[in-house]
Amino acid sequence: MVQAEVAKGRGLGLSELAPRVAQSEIRAMSVESDRVGGVNLAQGVCDTEVPQVVTEGAIAAIRDGHNIYTRLDGIQRLRRAIAGKVESTLGLVADPEREILVASGATGAFHAVAMALFNPGDEVLLFEPFYGYHVGTLRSLRVTPVAVELEGAEWKLDLDRVRAAITPKTRAVVVNTPSNPAGKVFTREELEGLAEIAREHDLFVLTDEIYEHFLYGDAKHISPATLHGMRERTIVMSGFSKTFSVTGWRIGYVIADAKWLPAIAYFHDLLYVCAPAPFQHGVAAGIEQLGPTFYARLALDHEAKREMLVSALRDAGLSPHVPDGAYYILASTKGLESVLSGETAAQRARSLLAKTGVAAVAGSAFFRAGKGEDLLRFCFAKKDEDLAEACKRLRSLR
């Protein structure tokens, strides 16, 4: 009877966290775009062509019967391919048997890493504008994200701000380079400064490098794991969703010191069991057969797409921040108050969709409350004909 009364008093309901959670603004705008038949520049779906060797590798794997669970750390072929790739492109040496985990995308990798390394109440620094899924994942685990603002139009890192944000509860720093949504590529000087702070305060550095091959102009990608004294404390997360245009396949990876990887792998197994088996084979084929020429062409193709969209945004009256990497553009709507209705970025994004049929994401999705309300984020990883149509529609705004 007493137990029944306790249960009755508790009642049905959501968790303490759930009422504070809303659908991702990125996903919400994708739904709105589909509803009105718009051109979706909101979500980074990356619907460019998949390399033929990648699709054929996955199809062959299905036909050859590779349709069951893999080892929890992924197939050996892919782990070895990843090890070879990161050594040749980053100069990073990793043991495919002890230091590499094939994950369900970089997002799944981040979730498993956070579960393995952090406790409720820990604090983790990340840089603003930030990727919302990093923040949401930390909060879902009762870990406190602490935003450190990047400065100016070039999103410069102020190391004094980083030091000021550190408390006794700080356990790690998250670095997304090249970054979503700003397209910032952290410089060697900035990363060496962060490395010094991480060593001084005994912090992990979690580095999301999913856009490593999308670099423009003189920008260079540097993995913090390759810096002096950083290999043990750096957790590298990346994947092939963007590089091979297979965002729906969910093939990512983690590289971590052998002392950390078993716990990360345990939680990834608990959450996802394994990444899809035939897709692992398809990605392995891509890594094995596509080399530096492919990655260089990928960057050049997207640099041309960047220029297309930057030009159209300027013609439409928006003021774009030109990214050095990744495939997103943050653009200011200041001066368009008479054209785009609404007090918030979310309202202006919907106004833009209604007027032009082009979907963007509210910049506020990448900032703390009250910030980013004058910004919209646009994705240019689209087929040229779709991007050209979006540019035409944007220019109609003026």
Side-chain angles (χ1 to χ4, degrees), residues 116-138:
L117 301 185
F118 307 136
N119 294 312
D122 286 345
E123 295 177 355
V124 173
L125 308 187
L126 36 71
F127 299 106
E128 184 183 59
F130 45 69
Y131 177 49
Y133 274 49
H134 290 158
V135 170
T137 297
L138 293 172

Side-chain angles (χ1 to χ4, degrees), residues 352-397:
L352 179 71
L353 179 61
K355 289 177 179 292
T356 67
V358 175
V361 179
S364 53
F366 310 101
F367 291 83
R368 286 166 287 183
K371 300 178 66 179
E373 295 293 359
D374 64 325
L375 295 172
L376 298 177
R377 191 200 75 173
F378 298 83
C379 172
F380 55 86
K382 307 291 289 184
K383 293 184 177 70
D384 284 346
E385 58 268 28
D386 293 334
L387 186 59
E389 176 62 23
C391 290
K392 176 183 176 182
R393 294 185 183 195
L394 285 169
R395 288 187 169 97
S396 72
L397 193 64

Side-chain angles (χ1 to χ4, degrees), residues 262-322:
I264 298 169
Y266 168 82
F267 284 109
H268 186 271
D269 176 46
L270 184 67
L271 291 166
Y272 306 102
V273 181
C274 66
F279 296 156
Q280 291 190 46
H281 286 272
V283 165
I287 300 171
E288 291 163 354
Q289 298 181 49
L290 299 172
T293 301
F294 170 80
Y295 301 126
R297 173 51 59 186
L298 184 72
L300 287 173
D301 287 348
H302 282 76
E303 188 166 14
K305 294 175 189 293
R306 180 191 68 164
E307 297 312 308
M308 286 176 62
L309 185 55
V310 165
S311 176
L313 290 169
R314 286 173 174 161
D315 289 347
L318 290 96
S319 300
H321 295 263
V322 181

Side-chain angles (χ1 to χ4, degrees), residues 45-65:
V45 294
C46 194
D47 57 0
T48 48
E49 292 296 329
V50 181
Q52 187 174 4
V53 64
V54 176
T55 55
E56 290 181 352
I59 292 167
I62 293 171
R63 290 174 175 161
D64 291 343

